[in-house]
Amino acid sequence: MYAQVIVDIAHSQVDKIFEYSCPDDAAIGSRVKVPFGSRIVDGFIIGLSGTTSLPAERIKPIKETFDELPALVPECVSLMERITERYRVPKAAALRLFLPSEMRLGKVREARVRYVRFVKEIPLTASAVKQREVLAFLKENIESPLSVLSEKFGRGAVEGLVKKGAADIFSKRRTRSPFSDMKERAGEKIPTAAQAAAIESAEKSDKRVQLLHGVTGSGKTEIYMQLIARQIALGKSAIFLVPEISLTPQMLSQLRSRFKGEAAILHSGLSAGERFDEWWRLRSGEARIAVGARSAVFAPLENIGIIIIDEEHDGSYVSESAPRYSTADIAKWRAEYNDCKLILGSATPSVESYLKAEEGEYNLITLKDRINKKPLPEIIIADMRKEVKRGNASSFSLALREELAETLEEGNQAIVFLNRRGYSQTVICRDCGYVAKCGNCDVTLTYHSEDGCLKCHYCGAKYRMLDACPECGGRHILYNGTGTQRVVADLKKLFPSARILRMDNDTVSGKDGHYRILKSFAAKEADILVGTQMIAKGHDFPSVTLVGILDADMSLHFADYRSGERTFQLITQVSGRSGRADAKGKVVLQTYCPENYILRYAVNYDYSGFFENEAAVRRATGFPPYSLICRVMVTSQDDGEALETLRRVYSSLEALRAEKPQEFIFLNRMHSPIKKIQGRYRYQALMRLKSEELLAKIYDIAVECSSDDALVYVEENPANLS
Ligand code: ADP
Ligand code: ZN
């Protein structure tokens, strides 16, 4: 036998398929060690054949095969081809996406699933109660994972039986858990008519992609759970994706109580060992539901019956490092390969997805009402210009203060939301105007009063506080705490007895920082939760009856064509946290521009009004989804090298434009807004294109111009243009 091998070196020079001879039982997807030049390197078998085109003396044998069960599922080979073609990354880089990094770097070993099976009936004394139970169980089930038996009956009983020869332990490559019938589906709800109709529409539709547009609290989660349960019952597997930060304790416990060991969580918050174990449970077939953020779309599952992307509009679904894939693209490919449905769910679908639904590419499923027709919370607009005129210079409008007081009095909870992380982030010398900046990155530093230091939000560098200005020696340095901190301080003054929790990037650290905060708030250990974007999504806190949005319009002013869409999404999502259970919810939305049309649509929960308007604007101005924004980034440690590379990139782009001028709406080159990050100088060529027609050629240019000294890469509709 001959194996086609990709060596695990992500470099364009070795981005080829190499042939080796291999044993007859070699399997596609296996990780292997192969001789490569004078070295031994890791690789993957992606194909097998009985013949080879190479002369016999040039064929070398595979040195070693790693795992008995191939690490990669067969589908990976076809996905790898699509990924390399679409995003122009080396084959090895595409394959790496499918493996937990722990595995590649050899930090953890293959964990085989250990099973116990029935051997023979033996006489047992009356006192060996547990052993008799295990034996009875095994007789009925024939075999069972050791972990399951140990949990049910105790490890000692199992080992006792094995010692007596009534059962034995073996390890298994791959099998389905015998508990997959899931008799105990805890927490299952009877679907409402609207939910049942949505489930039926999704299952019956002849379209691959289903866009589930349901207002906040319309019971989308239950729909996902039911769709997953049905596929599991059919013997299939499922992928359930959620945004980076909404893997809440509630979501996890719901999944666990419902699907028990069938659900495996792929999450960056897990330790390396835990992550590997969860991954392996999926690969071995012990678990069949992969739950996680973006990267869980690469879960090692076969026979997939459904893929769900919750909060599909969320920015975290686009990878910001190479390959810069869109999670929805990968999910679509996997859905095609497995011939299953892809569900995109959101209360505020992206303009791009909704347009596809309107044009008939996606099946649109709409849930207009909350569960049991509960009203959506009333949104009260507080015009902050009037507050200032009235002499109220604080962060809280009168309306918000009154509503907060009432909420606290009634024993309910409130969420106070800030649209950005810091108010006055900068540290300024009042004498000369010097602003503290990061030495590695061309950005201003932020003062963090908790650890009393200055931080760079781009590279994480910490700096000591200044007692004197480094420029003029002046001693009038102005520090301002971050926004959330100040809000908490102000709230404490207004409501001295209220218990307040704060959640933002600064308070959330470590493995489960935000779980702790959310759990504590859910357990009503606090009355008010103050936070940023992080608290906007997904959470279901039944006691929250008030949401205050302090600066609703802030994100309208960002220099991004999507700022209107983002603002609409944010207001809708945050408002959706209020009044989810029996008590009626309210929202106080503070703004300096109450007449803005985005806010008007948001206040009236008018998604289609928003969509029609936004789509018309985008079409008229030639912005996505009616065009493609493409940025070719050039970075290098050497400023001159970066600039020189940008020149080459740009002249190739100009040649492309000369060929197809009608495709270009805009093309220019410039310094990136942040000129340097982590010691690398940054330049860019920015363009707007009529369609994706030239995209492949632009990727080609990036690959051609990239060198060891300068990195060149393409970003499509980047979320962040810094
Ligand atoms: P969404 O994800 O659409 O915002 P959720 O799935 O969180 O909404 O559901 C909102 C609330 O309604 C939750 O508290 C959930 O437990 C409840 N719920 C969902 N479906 C049902 C149902 N069929 N019967 C009763 N309550 C339900
Ligand atoms: Zn920095």
Side-chain angles (χ1 to χ4, degrees):
M1 283 289 261
Y2 300 96
Q4 280 117 45
V5 171
I6 293 188
V7 294
D8 192 8
I9 304 169
H11 198 287
S12 54
Q13 274 161 19
V14 295
D15 188 23
K16 299 188 192 90
I17 295 170
F18 298 93
E19 279 188 294
Y20 292 89
S21 63
C22 65
D24 285 348
D25 63 353
I28 293 180
S30 294
R31 287 190 311 147
V32 291
K33 279 198 183 296
V34 291
F36 192 74
S38 57
R39 293 186 294 158
I40 301 287
V41 299
D42 291 354
F44 304 95
I45 301 184
I46 61 145
L48 291 166
S49 131
T51 57
T52 172
S53 51
L54 288 178
E57 67 276 12
R58 290 200 40 208
I59 284 271
K60 289 183 204 157
I62 279 175
K63 287 263 324 166
E64 190 186 328
T65 305
F66 275 95
D67 326 290
E68 200 173 319
L69 174 62
L72 301 175
V73 294
E75 186 189 347
C76 289
V77 178
S78 112
L79 276 174
M80 172 198 77
E81 273 157 14
R82 297 192 80 158
I83 292 167
T84 51
E85 190 186 310
R86 178 68 177 75
Y87 301 110
R88 285 318 146 83
V89 289
K91 296 180 181 67
L95 287 177
R96 283 176 188 175
L97 294 167
F98 296 93
L99 289 180
S101 56
E102 298 76 35
M103 188 159 180
R104 278 190 48 240
L105 304 173
K107 282 191 204 133
V108 287
R109 277 180 298 133
E110 173 191 23
R112 291 174 54 104
V113 186
R114 293 174 75 198
Y115 271 74
V116 184
R117 74 184 149 207
F118 176 75
V119 176
K120 61 171 193 266
E121 186 76 67
I122 51 161
L124 286 167
T125 58
S127 62
V129 184
K130 284 282 168 211
Q131 292 191 9
R132 287 155 72 132
E133 280 175 24
V134 178
L135 197 57
F137 184 87
L138 279 179
K139 265 165 71 184
E140 194 175 311
N141 292 276
I142 299 154
E143 62 185 40
S144 169
L146 177 59
S147 57
V148 173
L149 276 185
S150 301
E151 199 174 300
K152 250 184 144 78
F153 305 106
R155 182 79 177 230
V158 181
E159 280 171 355
L161 269 188
V162 171
K163 226 180 245 158
K164 289 174 187 162
D168 69 355
I169 295 180
F170 66 106
S171 65
K172 211 162 165 175
R173 280 165 56 127
R174 184 172 151 223
T175 177
R176 186 160 300 147
S177 157
F179 296 99
S180 56
D181 55 359
M182 295 197 308
K183 284 177 208 118
E184 329 157 69
R185 269 194 232 135
E188 186 176 0
K189 298 180 180 69
I190 298 162
T192 60
Q195 285 172 323
I199 291 168
E200 174 160 332
S201 174
E203 287 188 334
K204 295 249 168 82
S205 164
D206 56 0
K207 297 194 171 124
R208 176 77 60 208
V209 184
Q210 314 292 309
L211 181 62
L212 176 61
H213 174 214
V215 298
T216 57
S218 57
K220 293 186 291 297
T221 314
E222 184 61 26
I223 294 175
Y224 304 146
M225 299 285 169
Q226 302 253 355
L227 285 168
I228 292 171
R230 284 157 178 245
Q231 292 304 319
I232 296 296
L234 291 172
K236 302 208 171 190
S237 61
I239 297 179
F240 181 26
L241 303 176
V242 294
E244 210 83 70
I245 53 184
S246 52
L247 260 177
T248 60
Q250 292 137 294
M251 175 76 93
L252 291 185
S253 70
Q254 201 175 337
L255 280 160
R256 290 223 170 96
S257 72
R258 193 113 158 208
F259 298 113
K260 303 262 155 33
E262 283 282 10
I265 318 293
L266 300 174
H267 184 241
S268 58
L270 301 176
S271 73
E274 285 169 337
R275 204 158 50 216
F276 175 78
D277 285 352
E278 288 292 83
W279 182 88
W280 188 259
R281 291 203 312 119
L282 292 166
R283 179 66 190 100
S284 67
E286 191 185 319
R288 287 183 293 157
I289 305 168
V291 185
R294 171 175 83 219
S295 62
V297 76
F298 299 104
L301 287 168
E302 292 178 76
N303 198 11
I304 298 170
I306 193 159
I307 303 175
I308 292 165
I309 303 184
D310 187 25
E311 313 276 10
E312 66 91 27
H313 63 275
D314 195 87
S316 71
Y317 286 121
V318 178
S319 165
E320 287 192 334
S321 56
R324 293 175 171 71
Y325 62 87
S326 130
T327 306
D329 276 354
I330 310 279
K332 269 179 221 169
W333 298 339
R334 296 202 77 172
E336 278 167 28
Y337 183 95
N338 290 277
D339 195 17
C340 73
K341 296 276 165 61
L342 167 62
I343 317 280
L344 306 177
S346 176
T348 50
S350 65
V351 171
E352 187 189 348
S353 295
Y354 203 80
L355 183 67
K356 285 188 175 143
E358 284 223 320
E359 289 172 342
E361 186 181 335
Y362 297 170
N363 179 38
L364 180 63
I365 304 170
T366 309
L367 294 166
K368 291 199 300 291
D369 299 312
R370 280 189 159 181
I371 287 286
N372 301 327
K373 300 251 164 51
K374 267 195 59 61
L376 285 157
E378 176 196 356
I379 303 184
I380 303 159
I381 287 195
D383 184 342
M384 293 309 278
R385 295 171 306 192
K386 290 188 188 146
E387 299 286 332
V388 176
K389 274 196 205 122
R390 209 189 275 163
N392 173 10
S394 84
S395 334
F396 303 97
S397 59
L398 194 61
L400 182 53
R401 268 193 268 176
E402 282 172 359
E403 294 294 340
L404 273 170
E406 196 172 312
T407 305
L408 295 173
E409 206 150 284
E410 286 166 352
N412 288 322
Q413 291 178 297
I415 288 177
V416 172
F417 174 79
L418 276 90
N419 207 347
R420 58 188 163 158
R421 204 156 149 222
Y423 269 62
S424 307
Q425 298 187 326
T426 43
V427 178
I428 297 179
C429 167
R430 284 189 182 171
D431 295 325
C432 74
Y434 163 86
V435 175
K437 285 192 171 187
C438 175
N440 308 323
C441 315
D442 178 40
V443 294
T444 49
L445 297 173
T446 304
Y447 169 56
H448 289 248
S449 70
E450 292 129 321
D451 5 343
C453 70
L454 309 178
K455 283 188 201 165
C456 169
H457 285 180
Y458 279 84
C459 72
K462 284 188 194 177
Y463 296 81
R464 269 194 315 169
M465 281 171 59
L466 308 170
D467 354 287
C469 171
E471 296 273 300
C472 74
R475 297 202 159 258
H476 299 102
I477 308 286
L478 185 66
Y479 288 104
N480 281 305
T482 52
T484 43
Q485 267 176 309
R486 210 172 83 191
V487 168
V488 171
D490 289 355
L491 277 173
K492 279 197 176 130
K493 270 183 230 146
L494 286 173
F495 306 103
S497 61
R499 297 163 303 164
I500 303 171
L501 269 176
R502 178 180 143 216
M503 179 155 155
D504 56 28
N505 282 333
D506 304 329
T507 55
V508 172
S509 60
K511 216 177 97 177
D512 42 24
H514 73 268
Y515 292 158
R516 278 202 310 275
I517 297 174
L518 292 170
K519 212 167 161 177
S520 159
F521 190 59
K524 294 195 80 171
E525 289 163 16
D527 307 302
I528 306 175
L529 175 64
V530 177
T532 52
Q533 262 68 349
M534 250 176 223
I535 60 174
K537 296 166 209 165
H539 314 302
D540 193 21
F541 301 113
S543 298
V544 171
T545 55
L546 176 67
V547 166
I549 305 177
L550 292 193
D551 42 8
D553 41 14
M554 259 325 288
S555 54
L556 283 174
H557 308 308
F558 293 164
D560 176 355
Y561 72 95
R562 272 179 294 212
S563 56
E565 181 177 355
R566 292 266 158 75
T567 305
F568 182 87
Q569 288 166 345
L570 211 58
I571 293 174
T572 312
Q573 297 288 339
V574 187
S575 304
R577 298 315 109 211
S578 180
R580 290 170 74 85
D582 299 328
K584 193 169 174 305
K586 274 192 193 169
V587 176
V588 177
L589 189 152
Q590 302 190 162
T591 174
Y592 287 90
C593 47
E595 63 287 339
N596 182 283
Y597 75 94
I598 296 281
L599 299 191
R600 298 250 66 105
Y601 287 126
V603 164
N604 295 314
Y605 297 102
D606 182 4
Y607 179 85
S608 48
F610 153 77
F611 171 80
E612 294 306 334
N613 199 312
E614 187 69 19
V617 171
R618 303 265 187 99
R619 192 203 302 266
T621 51
F623 273 92
Y626 298 96
S627 70
L628 174 72
I629 294 177
C630 189
R631 174 160 86 153
V632 182
M633 282 297 301
V634 178
T635 75
S636 172
Q637 282 176 336
D638 183 312
D639 198 15
E641 187 66 39
L643 198 54
E644 184 48 42
T645 306
L646 178 73
R647 274 201 199 101
R648 281 192 286 133
V649 168
Y650 195 73
S651 69
S652 301
L653 289 171
E654 279 185 313
L656 202 56
R657 181 172 61 178
E659 261 174 58
K660 289 251 174 184
Q662 70 282 9
E663 273 295 310
F664 283 80
I665 303 170
F666 171 89
L667 169 66
N668 210 342
R669 64 179 151 172
M670 60 204 83
H671 251 302
S672 297
I674 299 176
K675 297 189 179 90
K676 192 172 147 197
I677 291 182
Q678 292 181 346
R680 295 185 74 90
Y681 293 89
R682 308 167 82 240
Y683 293 87
Q684 65 192 38
L686 195 60
M687 66 210 94
R688 240 184 314 143
L689 304 164
K690 278 264 166 60
S691 72
E692 291 191 359
E693 188 187 329
L694 297 177
L695 196 54
K697 292 204 166 134
I698 292 167
Y699 272 97
D700 282 342
I701 292 172
V703 171
E704 275 159 27
C705 296
S706 212
S707 66
D708 290 340
D709 300 323
L711 188 65
V712 185
Y713 57 88
V714 179
E715 291 175 338
E716 300 168 37
N717 294 335
N720 176 351
L721 272 182
S722 56

